Amino acid sequence: MTTQTAGTRAPGAPRLGNATALSCRECGKTSALGPQYACDECFGPLEVIYDFPRLTRADIEAGPHNIWRYAQLLPVPRDIASRPTTEPGCTRLVRADGLAAELGMRRLWIKDDSGNPTHSFKDRVVAVALAAATEMGFKVLACPSTGNLANAVAAAAARAGIRSVVMVPANLEEQKILTTAVYGGTFVTVDGTYDDVNRLASELAGEHEDWAFVNVNVRPYYAEGSKTLGFEIAEQLGWRLPDQIVVPIASGAQLVKIDKGFGELAELGLVEDKPWRVFGAQATGCSPVAEAFDKGWDVVRPVKPSTIAKSLAIGNPADGPYVLDVVRRTGGAVADVSDPEIVDSIRLLARTQGVFGETAGGVTVGVLRKLLDSGQLDPDAETVIINSGDGLKTLDAVAPAVPVPAAIRPTVAAFQAAGFDGTDV
Ligand SMILES: Cc1ncc(COP(=O)(O)O)c(C=O)c1O
Ligand SMILES: [Zn+2]
């Protein structure tokens, strides 16, 4: 469907499995596999293309219990499963009957990516970026980050025994600061927004040729890691595509690549080719893609973010226009929810499913609710939502809303006096 394939790898190109070349997403010009990320003809972003072999479900099922079971569909060396990586993926797909009942839905699933090694989906993209970067001769793993990527890069580099350089806005959640610093790489907090940090990273990438900024100069490889979310969802559903999927958007790469993953499985005959609809979720305080969708624009107008969903606070999303393409092609939508709705949705997910998502998860559940109310999502269709990160990393967002009762004396009388033996407790 959406997959482009191309002949054989150019002589001397890095050995990245079945990947054969890079192709410009704007003008289609192909170039050899290598460390470039923008088209030399039109500056458009580049995409990895492959020459896939015949592949069966059994081949994949016989692989390791992590994303490397899909190595044949990724730009990684063939021996990747035996190299030191964080081994992300194969997170649980939870049947969400409690949340479905609350929302009047029939078949709802949560892909709970908080179960990854550093508790977000970013471990997937970083593992692929690291594998490709090492093969291309980079010596340092680096990134600008809204927090989760910082955790993933610092951990993956520590595991692989190489240096990391991680840069974040200084106003990040304390949990995300500590859970990056603990891995001991170079950690830079910047007085500015994510978009400022991203600009600084692009300038540094120009000066340090052996630094792989995972989401800047090796972005074509990095982004491919999110296809594994799509692959796993289909495999966990019994090799079937869902009817609808709701995905949080920051840069938009995750959403675009889940759709690409579904397309590749259908093209390879690993699932039945049937329509699926892709929906995007943003926080109102940073909703440039939702605005463009709403107004029917093809381009995304940058905004200055102001939201508790800091992991999604990218005001100038690199994949914004491609999100619009995917959502419009599949008959989906992009919507946004306010900060109070995000907090409320985090609590709803926790209360109905026992899953504690971070603010990005609250955004996704909030948009699920909103699009059901507006009739844009079908309550009877099989639906998957992504919980892309762990609530333990964004405690400040929910702390003011979650009542914690005062301590009692350790006596039955005190227990009863506080009303804890009532049937409603
Ligand atoms: C928890 C979480 N979910 C979703 C996203 C969005 O991913 P993307 O930038 O690929 O749209 C991010 C990005 O940082 C994130 O940290
Ligand atoms: Zn081009």
Side-chain angles (χ1 to χ4, degrees):
M1 253 187 111
T2 52
T3 317
Q4 267 183 292
T5 55
T8 47
R9 201 169 47 87
R15 297 182 171 274
L16 298 175
N18 297 315
T20 55
L22 296 169
S23 165
C24 175
R25 283 154 119 185
E26 290 300 320
C27 75
K29 184 181 175 203
T30 57
S31 45
L33 289 175
Q36 65 270 45
Y37 57 102
C39 175
D40 54 17
E41 194 77 28
C42 75
F43 300 111
L46 300 177
E47 170 105 45
V48 180
I49 55 176
Y50 302 84
D51 188 8
F52 289 134
R54 276 173 52 84
L55 197 61
T56 65
R57 294 174 180 177
D59 294 334
I60 292 171
E61 287 163 358
H65 191 68
N66 56 51
I67 61 167
W68 306 133
R69 68 204 279 110
Y70 308 107
Q72 300 245 42
L73 307 174
L74 296 169
V76 295
R78 295 196 189 278
D79 65 348
I80 185 62
S82 60
R83 297 191 183 191
T85 74
T86 59
E87 299 175 11
C90 288
T91 57
R92 61 194 182 144
L93 184 72
V94 182
R95 172 94 192 203
D97 287 339
L99 182 58
E102 185 90 11
L103 300 178
M105 300 185 77
R106 282 209 305 139
R107 282 169 302 160
L108 177 63
W109 302 87
I110 301 166
K111 179 61 172 166
D112 187 10
D113 242 24
S114 65
N116 274 310
T118 69
H119 310 283
S120 89
F121 89 101
K122 292 290 186 186
D123 291 313
R124 299 174 182 274
V125 281
V126 169
V128 174
L130 173 58
T134 312
E135 201 57 28
M136 291 188 287
F138 287 101
K139 299 284 182 254
V140 174
L141 202 64
C143 70
S145 170
T146 59
N148 285 310
L149 184 58
N151 294 168
V153 164
R159 175 80 183 96
I162 65 169
R163 183 180 168 209
S164 63
V165 178
V166 166
M167 296 158 45
V168 298
N171 75 345
L172 269 196
E173 298 93 345
E174 192 187 348
Q175 289 84 8
K176 285 180 182 158
I177 300 268
L178 289 175
T179 50
T180 302
V182 74
Y183 295 107
T186 303
F187 185 36
V188 186
T189 60
V190 178
D191 203 5
T193 65
Y194 172 78
D195 297 287
D196 295 327
V197 181
N198 195 25
R199 245 189 328 271
L200 174 59
S202 297
E203 285 170 32
L204 287 169
E207 302 212 345
H208 298 273
E209 288 198 341
D210 62 343
W211 290 16
F213 280 88
V214 294
N215 49 344
V216 181
N217 53 352
V218 291
R219 189 172 179 85
Y221 307 95
Y222 155 92
E224 288 289 286
S226 280
K227 291 193 310 189
T228 61
L229 268 165
F231 298 153
E232 285 178 24
I233 289 165
E235 184 178 349
Q236 289 169 315
L237 286 175
W239 294 107
R240 205 179 65 238
L241 300 180
D243 300 321
Q244 309 178 131
I245 183 158
V246 188
V247 185
I249 300 170
S251 75
Q254 183 189 152
L255 182 148
V256 170
K257 295 295 178 166
I258 288 174
D259 175 72
K260 185 182 183 193
F262 285 171
E264 287 179 350
L265 293 184
E267 183 180 290
L268 287 163
L270 292 165
V271 295
E272 186 195 332
D273 193 1
K274 62 168 257 313
W276 63 88
R277 297 165 75 207
V278 183
F279 295 82
Q282 295 208 290
T284 304
C286 182
S287 50
V289 189
E291 183 189 26
F293 178 79
D294 198 42
K295 301 206 164 124
W297 301 338
D298 291 334
V299 292
V300 173
R301 208 179 64 187
V303 300
K304 189 155 173 126
S306 171
T307 169
I308 57 167
K310 293 181 183 168
S311 59
L312 302 184
I314 297 185
N316 189 10
D319 280 77
Y322 304 106
V323 167
L324 294 169
D325 288 348
V326 168
V327 165
R328 288 180 179 139
R329 169 171 54 74
T330 62
V334 185
D336 57 274
V337 283
S338 69
D339 285 359
E341 288 172 298
I342 295 168
V343 174
D344 206 44
S345 299
I346 291 173
R347 297 179 69 195
L348 174 68
L349 179 64
R351 179 166 57 77
T352 56
Q353 285 304 144
V355 172
F356 184 20
E358 74 139 82
T359 44
V363 167
T364 306
V365 172
V367 164
L368 170 73
R369 266 206 288 199
K370 186 168 178 175
L371 293 176
L372 283 166
D373 286 348
S374 67
Q376 287 159 283
L377 271 166
D378 176 358
D380 295 326
E382 182 161 58
T383 305
V384 175
I385 61 172
I386 309 283
N387 179 44
S388 48
D390 195 320
L392 287 173
K393 292 201 217 182
T394 57
L395 290 174
D396 289 354
V398 286
V402 178
V404 179
I408 60 164
R409 282 181 297 111
T411 65
V412 172
F415 186 86
Q416 288 170 340
F420 289 141
D421 58 352
T423 50
D424 59 336
V425 175

